Amino acid sequence: GLSRRSWRGSRSTVAGMLARRFALPPVHEAKYEPRQIPNAAPDMVGTAIIRPPREIWLTLLGEMVQMVNEALRRRASCARDASKPLSLEYMADRLDVDDPLLGYLAVSREDGWLQGFVTCTTFTTWHADFRWDSLSPAVELATDHGESQGRTPRVDEDGSLADELQAQLHAGDPDNEGVVWPRIAELSLLGALGCGRWLVQLVIDVLESSSEPPYEYLVAQATDNSIPFYERMGFVRVGAVTVTRRKKERVAEVEAEEEQEAPVAAEEGLSDPNDGAGEAVLARSTGR
């Protein structure tokens, strides 16, 4: 799969990002045993919802890592799940760089233990040739993920959703601040013990009711095992494509030197923000 750097693209400001990374607060583990955290109730009784500022998010990285590892352990105990948990580096990167940063924490009212978190930001890419395209040969949306589980996958079969996304306003420099899509929100982080659906719905409700900024679409990147979860919430698998450049291989010694060095464009489907989890891109309208 592709790393998050591949999804969002390389930047010329990597040194600046590392400088900020080194300035992050120390990572502290939770002072409680993650296995003792109760799952949130379906009606969220006993759970408080908090919207913290960025500086508070950064101090919770240790607890967030422990909680997502515990969530994966609980899922694996009752079903086969080869998903990789969100890494500390990935979460720190998103909390440090995402702008704006909209997010919520779910904590138990009795003990203040972390039960879930979700963050959202404006979709941005650092690929100069990125485009939404569900009909590209590089994109394999037609999978048996749903059919093998007795359900019909939600796929952008005719490419209409990708066309709508591609038609959205976007501008910026892929070598600096990135190409920003101000009408498309990205669900960037999600981890939960029994309240994932509730947290995602909270973000959707906020995006639908908010006028600043007026997001019209919400996109997410999902592991194979979490695709059904997002599909039940109205998301559809959609194609995200970029162009990679590589040097053309020598096919004959008599080829001209300029021909050997000429870059060849190759389309590549983008899907995996967390390196190797076999992920997919999904999107839905905010209902605006």
Side-chain angles (χ1 to χ4, degrees):
L2 302 172
S3 66
R4 182 186 171 221
R5 188 70 61 198
S6 297
W7 161 259
R8 294 173 71 92
S10 59
R11 322 187 197 185
S12 61
T13 55
V14 172
M17 291 179 63
L18 290 176
R20 278 186 291 173
R21 174 70 53 76
F22 296 149
L24 291 176
V27 176
H28 299 290
E29 293 185 353
K31 296 181 180 180
Y32 50 88
E33 170 54 52
R35 295 194 179 205
Q36 296 179 355
I37 305 173
N39 280 354
D43 58 4
M44 298 297 282
V45 170
T47 298
I49 300 299
I50 305 170
R51 183 178 176 180
R54 189 185 302 270
E55 56 268 23
I56 298 299
W57 279 105
L58 294 174
T59 66
L60 295 172
L61 278 168
E63 289 187 55
M64 292 167 66
V65 170
Q66 288 182 291
M67 198 222 70
V68 295
N69 287 335
E70 174 60 17
L72 184 62
R73 187 194 68 81
R74 294 184 189 185
R75 288 201 305 272
S77 67
C78 60
R80 184 176 180 181
D81 191 341
S83 301
K84 292 174 58 178
L86 293 171
S87 69
L88 172 64
E89 180 185 29
Y90 178 72
M91 289 193 285
D93 190 11
R94 304 242 40 170
L95 294 177
D96 185 30
V97 177
D98 283 358
D99 186 26
L101 178 64
L102 167 67
Y104 298 92
L105 295 172
V107 299
S108 62
R109 289 185 180 275
E110 182 175 353
D111 301 298
W113 293 349
L114 183 63
Q115 294 177 301
F117 58 85
V118 64
T119 66
C120 179
T121 190
T122 300
F123 180 76
T124 305
T125 179
W126 281 266
H127 278 290
D129 300 305
F130 174 88
R131 75 177 189 277
W132 299 100
D133 184 356
S134 297
L135 302 183
S136 168
V139 178
E140 298 181 0
L141 296 183
T143 68
D144 62 354
H145 292 307
E147 294 172 354
S148 64
Q149 300 173 23
R151 62 180 180 81
T152 301
R154 294 174 60 90
V155 176
D156 182 30
E157 294 182 354
D158 62 0
S160 58
L161 178 55
D163 289 344
E164 293 175 17
L165 292 169
Q166 185 61 31
Q168 296 302 303
L169 174 68
H170 57 282
D173 184 352
D175 293 323
N176 289 289
E177 75 279 6
V179 179
V180 180
W181 301 66
R183 298 294 183 265
I184 301 178
E186 178 188 2
L187 195 66
S188 47
L189 295 177
L190 175 64
L193 296 173
C195 55
R197 182 182 180 87
W198 196 96
L199 289 172
V200 173
Q201 189 60 54
L202 173 61
V203 169
I204 293 172
D205 292 343
V206 169
L207 296 181
E208 288 179 345
S209 61
S210 176
S211 59
E212 192 62 39
Y215 294 114
E216 297 183 10
Y217 295 89
L218 176 62
V219 300
Q221 300 155 1
T223 63
D224 291 340
N225 289 292
S226 64
I227 288 174
F229 166 82
Y230 286 102
E231 289 180 335
R232 287 193 293 270
M233 301 205 68
F235 286 82
V236 176
R237 292 194 64 175
V238 65
V241 178
T242 189
V243 174
T244 59
R245 297 195 175 275
R246 55 183 172 80
K247 290 185 177 180
K248 190 175 182 179
E249 296 180 356
R250 183 191 300 268
V251 293
E253 200 169 318
V254 295
E255 285 184 337
E257 181 176 351
E258 62 271 17
E259 205 173 14
Q260 296 170 18
E261 298 296 324
V264 176
E267 289 193 341
E268 181 176 41
L270 294 179
S271 60
D272 186 352
N274 202 29
D275 195 14
E279 307 198 1
V281 183
L282 298 96
R284 58 156 288 160
S285 168
T286 62
R288 297 184 60 84

